[in-house]
């Protein structure tokens, strides 16, 4: 696990400048660092990496790494879990290896198979490869987008990095905010790929690779969720066969993710997903697995007591940490630095805390990320189910004379149902409520905030459509980004067995009725989990992993909120409408609606980010 960065340009930069870029990611790789630069007929190129040693802790794993023939150079972040099998195959083809790490296998695989190697990798990765003879620079990101990868192109400058900080440090980079993305962020709490908060700066999409040659970019997709879903649906499984295959694939996914030359453990929240992963890990490991939980003093949001009971049943070496508001609030000051793009899912705070605790004992943690998207676990999927069956009501209401006059007087949630007329946006119904508020805050109207990808998803079942949409956007750009930044803050690598590409592809062969059965979300995943842990330990409402935002915004964060909402400064900043911000604060103080606290928190997070990276107006 590491942080990588690099550039290609018509002119080089100093080693010191490249080192400064690289060292902004010290937290991603405190064990080692390296850089390499070259200037030839193709122009100037530089690669750099910060290393967190997980496999082959020796200097043989140092990066940038050269191929055996010296023709290809790589910087790489991630893990290829099947690298040993690939290494044997490559050795049979005559390739020789000097280390025991997966980076060298990646290099040989690229030279042997070209871009087809990415389809052969089972893992999480962000890769930068440079071919010295051709002058081609190749970037690639793993199938599900577990590892982040940004790039910037302006004129003859091309820069890439695991985070935005190295790109911001590149000589000549200008931090111009992409104003269209501010509304997307306010409404969704994150910015989905391929966009970023800056102009001319992009995120690599999951399952893609990029080739830069002679200053021109070509983008290619090597793995597509929609294609894999279509393939899976051609061979539907029975419930019993699906359970059997899920168990087989998951056990192998967990087994290969337990392999490391450093201590490994699991996150155990007490929910279905983390319980299943931890239970399988305990069986597969053959020794006591270390598990970690965060507890809250407020009973209404504390699941640590359940996690402890589950850990006791499974037999893990369990550790828990109870946290109060003050400990969580102290993490806020770090958000802009480690989430160097505006990001406001407040569960990032407890995720940082559990990562900090785990990093004291282990270097690698297994998580349960992915279970909700693959097996229909979110409450939004209940609403999507209801919306599809009640859609006729909105259709009738849209033809009722005078309805347009009455619409503003009905509750926002009902208004979202009534306005849900666009066939290409059916599963994003509540986003329209957030758009209304964001439009007022920004003084704009008509921007495209809803996800355009939905129009490509023609599934008759709206739940399935929303699940695939989430896999394409929310999962990589919100869930996985949150975990990546929170864990890497403490140099902790997190692996996701449920997002092994074999689990994902196998899930598409499971009929949807087994995932959502008579209102029971994640039905088949629960059935598998109950084979490892008694149902009575898990059969309870989900509490989530959030923080008391409404209380904070009204109390301890109130003075800071008002500071960032100062009308004089807002006019100078020229992004937000002062009166609309003041009105949002009043609404949040009087109402318990989640939309108001969510929007105000996003405003606060954005202002802190702006203060750190753009201009300190306060």
């Amino acid at each position: 696990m590491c942080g990588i960065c690099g550039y290609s340009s018509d002119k080089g930069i100093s080693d010191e400048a490249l080192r400064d870029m690289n060292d902004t990611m010290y937290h991603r790789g405190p064990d080692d660092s390296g850089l390499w630069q070259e200037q030839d007929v193709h122009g100037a190129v530089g690669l750099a990496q910060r290393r967190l040693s997980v496999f082959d802790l020796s200097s043989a794993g140092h990066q940038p790494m050269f191929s055996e023939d010296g023709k290809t150079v790589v910087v790489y972040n991630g893990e290829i879990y099947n690298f040993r099998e690939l290494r044997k195959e490559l050795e049979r083809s005559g390739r020789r290896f000097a280390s025991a790490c997966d980076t060298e296998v990646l290099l040989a695989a690229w030279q042997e198979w070209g871009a087809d190697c990415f389809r052969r990798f089972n893992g999480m990765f962000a890769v930068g490869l440079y071919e010295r003879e051709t002058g081609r620079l190749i970037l690639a990101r793993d199938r599900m987008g577990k590892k982040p990868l940004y790039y910037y192109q302006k004129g003859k400058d091309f820069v890439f990095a695991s985070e935005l900080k190295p790109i911001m440090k590149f000589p000549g980079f200008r931090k111009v905010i992409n104003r269209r993305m501010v509304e997307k962020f306010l409404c969704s709490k994150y910015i989905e790929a391929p966009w970023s908060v800056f102009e001319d700066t992009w995120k690599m999409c999951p399952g893609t690779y990029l080739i830069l040659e002679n200053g021109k970019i070509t983008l290619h997709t090597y793995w597509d969720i929609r294609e894999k879903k279509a393939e899976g649906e051609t061979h539907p499984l029975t419930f019993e066969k699906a359970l059997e295959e899920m168990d087989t694939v998951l056990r192998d996914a967990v087994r290969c993710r337990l392999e490391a030359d450093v201590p490994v453990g699991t996150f155990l929240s007490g929910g279905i997903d983390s319980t299943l992963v931890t239970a399988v890990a305990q069986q597969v490991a053959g020794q006591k697995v270390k598990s970690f939980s965060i507890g809250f003093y407020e009973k209404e949001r504390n699941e640590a007591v359940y996690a402890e009971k589950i850990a006791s049943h499974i037999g893990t070496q369990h550790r828990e940490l109870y946290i109060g508001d003050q400990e969580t609030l102290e993490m806020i000051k770090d958000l802009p630095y480690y989430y160097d793009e505006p990001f406001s899912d407040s569960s990032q705070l407890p995720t940082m805390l559990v990562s900090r605790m785990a990093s004291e004992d282990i270097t690698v943690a297994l998580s349960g990320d992915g279970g909700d998207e693959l097996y229909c676990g979110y409450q939004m999927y209940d609403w999507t189910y209801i919306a599809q069956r009640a859609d006729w009501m909105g259709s009738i209401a849209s033809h009722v004379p005078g309805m347009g006059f009455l619409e503003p007087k009905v509750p926002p949630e009902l208004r979202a149902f009534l306005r849900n007329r666009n066939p290409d946006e059916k599963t994003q119904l509540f986003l329209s409520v957030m758009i209304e508020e964001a439009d007022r805050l920004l003084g704009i109207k008509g921007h495209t905030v809803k996800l355009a990808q939905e129009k490509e998803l023609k599934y008759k079942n709206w739940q399935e459509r929303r699940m695939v949409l989430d896999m394409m956007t929310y999962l990589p750009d919100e869930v996985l980004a949150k975990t990546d930044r929170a864990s890497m803050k403490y140099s902790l690598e997190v692996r996701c067995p449920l997002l092994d590409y074999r689990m994902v592809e196998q899930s598409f062969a499971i009929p949807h009725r087994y995932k959502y059965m008579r209102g029971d979300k994640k039905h088949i995943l629960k059935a598998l989990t109950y084979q490892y842990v008694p149902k009575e330990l898990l059969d309870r409402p989900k509490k989530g992993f959030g923080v008391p935002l409404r209380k904070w915004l009204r109390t301890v964060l109130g003075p800071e909120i008002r500071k960032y909402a100062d009308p004089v400064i807002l006019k100078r900043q020229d992004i937000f409408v002062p009166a609309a911000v003041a009105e949002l604060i009043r609404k949040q103080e009087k109402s318990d609606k989640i939309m108001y606290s969510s929007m105000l928190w996003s405003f606060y997070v954005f202002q802190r980010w702006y203060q750190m990276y753009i201009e300190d107006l306060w």
Side-chain angles (χ1 to χ4, degrees):
M1 190 59 59
C2 312
I4 63 174
C5 64
Y7 77 94
S8 173
S9 182
D10 61 333
K11 56 185 181 299
I13 64 174
S14 67
D15 283 355
E16 182 181 4
L18 183 55
R19 187 174 294 108
D20 285 346
M21 291 167 59
N22 196 35
D23 286 348
T24 63
M25 302 182 294
Y26 177 87
H27 52 285
R28 297 189 74 91
D31 297 330
D32 188 23
S33 68
L35 60 87
W36 167 83
Q37 296 205 73
E38 183 171 82
Q39 190 152 6
D40 56 22
V41 294
H42 304 295
V45 64
L47 302 177
Q49 187 237 27
R50 293 282 338 180
R51 184 185 182 198
L52 176 66
S53 302
V54 174
F55 284 113
D56 191 345
L57 311 186
S58 73
S59 60
H62 179 78
Q63 296 183 34
M65 182 179 287
F66 290 81
S67 58
E68 185 183 10
D69 59 15
K71 294 180 179 180
T72 308
V73 196
V74 69
V75 285
Y76 153 62
N77 168 30
E79 307 292 352
I80 297 172
Y81 304 118
N82 62 334
F83 79 95
R84 291 187 177 88
E85 295 89 335
L86 294 175
R87 174 173 171 151
K88 291 178 182 177
E89 185 177 351
L90 289 163
E91 285 175 332
R92 289 194 293 270
S93 299
R95 300 280 175 180
R96 295 178 298 177
F97 297 89
S99 74
C101 68
D102 55 348
T103 308
E104 195 177 10
V105 173
L106 188 158
L107 264 172
W110 170 260
Q111 290 193 313
E112 185 76 18
W113 301 311
D116 190 54
C117 71
F118 303 129
R119 296 185 183 90
R120 292 172 175 257
F121 296 157
N122 180 3
M124 53 181 183
F125 53 84
V127 180
L129 284 152
Y130 181 69
E131 295 180 334
R132 301 172 76 184
E133 288 187 341
T134 65
R136 296 198 307 169
L137 179 65
I138 298 96
L139 304 183
R141 193 178 182 199
D142 65 71
R143 293 172 178 83
M144 298 305 293
K146 297 171 193 170
K147 293 295 100 187
L149 190 56
Y150 293 85
Y151 67 94
Y152 159 82
Q153 186 177 41
K154 183 77 170 178
K156 295 182 179 180
D157 292 334
F158 180 91
V159 190
F160 71 92
S162 297
E163 299 180 359
L164 280 176
K165 285 187 285 293
I167 295 176
M168 286 188 259
K169 279 277 189 179
F170 182 78
F173 178 76
R174 296 289 178 266
K175 292 182 280 191
V176 181
I177 292 176
N178 185 337
R179 295 295 186 104
R180 294 168 298 168
M181 295 303 110
V182 177
E183 185 174 21
K184 274 185 173 284
F185 162 69
L186 291 175
C187 293
S188 303
K189 304 179 185 178
Y190 69 99
I191 299 170
E192 83 271 8
W195 294 279
S196 85
V197 71
F198 291 126
E199 296 282 357
D200 305 310
T201 310
W202 311 89
K203 297 184 185 82
M204 285 284 291
C205 290
T208 66
Y209 66 94
L210 173 157
I211 297 177
L212 176 72
E213 189 170 14
N214 298 322
K216 294 183 179 179
I217 289 175
T218 55
L219 288 164
H220 308 266
T221 299
Y222 68 87
W223 191 86
D224 190 299
I225 282 179
R226 294 159 296 185
E227 291 180 1
K228 295 303 175 182
K229 179 170 172 56
E231 291 173 11
E233 289 174 337
T234 61
H235 300 92
L237 299 169
T238 64
F239 190 88
E240 291 74 19
K241 186 64 176 176
L243 263 183
E244 179 186 338
E245 287 194 9
M246 285 172 66
D247 190 45
T248 300
V249 176
L250 180 59
R251 290 179 73 88
D252 190 63
V254 169
R255 177 198 58 76
C256 65
R257 282 164 179 77
L258 286 172
E259 293 185 17
D261 296 330
V262 292
V264 182
T266 71
F267 289 158
L268 178 59
S269 69
I272 293 292
D273 307 338
S274 66
T275 295
L276 177 59
V277 168
T278 301
V280 172
Q282 180 59 50
Q283 283 201 8
V284 170
Q287 59 184 359
K288 272 190 175 292
V289 168
K290 294 182 178 181
S291 58
F292 302 86
S293 296
I294 285 289
F296 302 98
Y297 293 114
E298 299 91 338
K299 289 184 179 179
E300 64 272 11
R301 61 190 182 99
N302 180 46
E303 290 193 305
V305 60
Y306 306 115
E308 195 279 329
K309 291 178 181 178
I310 290 167
S312 177
H313 175 84
I314 295 172
T316 64
Q317 183 180 331
H318 190 62
R319 182 181 168 193
E320 62 185 23
L321 173 68
Y322 272 76
I323 56 174
D325 283 1
Q326 190 55 44
E327 293 166 279
T328 314
L329 285 162
E330 287 173 359
M331 308 299 284
I332 292 175
K333 68 180 184 300
D334 292 334
L335 292 183
Y337 187 79
Y338 293 99
Y339 291 82
D340 50 7
E341 185 172 58
F343 187 93
S344 58
D345 178 347
S346 59
S347 66
Q348 64 200 129
L349 297 168
T351 304
M352 289 164 74
L353 286 165
V354 72
S355 296
R356 184 179 69 183
M357 173 179 60
S359 68
E360 295 171 0
D361 295 331
I362 60 175
T363 306
V364 175
L366 273 57
S367 83
D369 287 335
D372 288 314
E373 291 83 1
L374 294 184
Y375 302 102
C376 199
Y378 291 127
Q379 187 178 26
M380 174 54 70
Y381 302 146
D382 287 322
W383 286 112
T384 305
Y385 178 88
I386 294 168
Q388 183 167 14
R389 279 144 188 80
D391 192 49
W392 62 273
M393 296 172 61
S395 179
I396 292 174
S398 67
H399 293 90
V400 174
M403 195 63 196
F405 172 77
L406 294 173
E407 217 181 49
K409 303 180 185 301
V410 304
E413 295 79 5
L414 178 57
R415 196 157 65 244
F417 275 97
L418 296 176
R419 289 184 180 177
N420 197 26
R421 299 295 91 225
N422 189 331
D424 295 332
E425 301 172 349
K426 286 295 188 181
T427 72
Q428 302 177 66
L429 67 165
F430 290 131
L431 195 55
S432 61
V433 178
M434 302 297 288
I435 292 171
E436 288 180 6
E437 197 64 42
D439 283 352
R440 284 191 285 269
L441 284 183
L442 299 171
I444 59 176
K445 197 169 186 179
H447 282 199
T448 302
V449 172
K450 292 191 175 182
L451 300 168
Q453 294 93 326
E454 184 174 351
K455 68 182 177 184
E456 304 167 10
L457 308 177
K458 304 301 182 182
Y459 316 121
K460 292 181 180 179
N461 186 311
W462 290 11
Q463 278 186 333
E464 290 186 84
R465 190 192 304 183
R466 179 58 188 254
M467 287 165 65
V468 174
L469 184 65
D470 284 344
M471 289 179 217
M472 296 170 67
T473 56
Y474 178 75
L475 176 62
D477 297 320
E478 205 276 6
V479 175
L480 297 177
K482 172 190 69 180
T483 302
D484 174 83
R485 305 309 194 279
S487 59
M488 292 310 296
K489 178 183 189 299
Y490 300 102
S491 306
L492 177 73
E493 175 181 307
V494 175
R495 301 173 177 179
C496 312
L498 292 173
L499 291 177
D500 185 299
Y501 80 94
R502 297 169 298 171
M503 288 292 294
V504 176
E505 292 178 2
Q506 192 260 359
S507 77
F508 294 142
I510 300 174
H512 187 70
R513 64 182 181 277
Y514 299 155
K515 301 174 185 178
Y516 192 81
M517 184 173 284
R518 295 185 291 276
D520 184 30
K521 297 187 292 293
K522 293 200 287 195
H523 179 80
I524 193 166
L525 193 69
K526 291 176 182 177
L528 179 58
T529 308
Y530 298 153
Q531 293 181 4
Y532 290 89
V533 177
K535 182 178 180 180
E536 54 266 25
L537 290 179
L538 289 157
D539 196 9
R540 63 182 185 279
K542 188 174 182 178
K543 295 187 178 182
F545 203 43
V547 296
L549 271 188
R550 279 171 283 190
K551 182 180 77 172
W552 287 359
L553 293 170
R554 292 169 181 172
T555 55
V556 290
L557 293 181
E560 274 201 287
I561 293 286
R562 287 187 286 275
K563 178 184 75 172
Y564 287 121
D566 185 304
V568 174
I569 295 178
L570 289 181
K571 286 180 182 178
R572 181 178 167 187
Q573 185 184 23
D574 193 30
I575 294 177
F576 300 101
V577 177
V581 174
E583 178 61 21
L584 175 61
I585 293 172
R586 284 193 291 271
K587 288 177 181 175
Q588 199 278 329
E589 288 175 346
K590 295 178 181 179
S591 172
D592 284 335
K593 287 187 180 296
I594 294 175
M595 63 174 287
Y596 297 136
S597 56
S598 175
M599 187 69 68
L600 189 58
W601 171 253
S602 294
F603 164 80
Y604 172 64
V605 168
F606 181 89
Q607 295 296 68
R608 291 188 65 96
W609 173 86
Y610 188 95
Q611 183 178 22
M612 176 173 285
Y613 290 112
I614 307 300
E615 185 179 7
D616 188 353
L617 300 173
W618 297 275

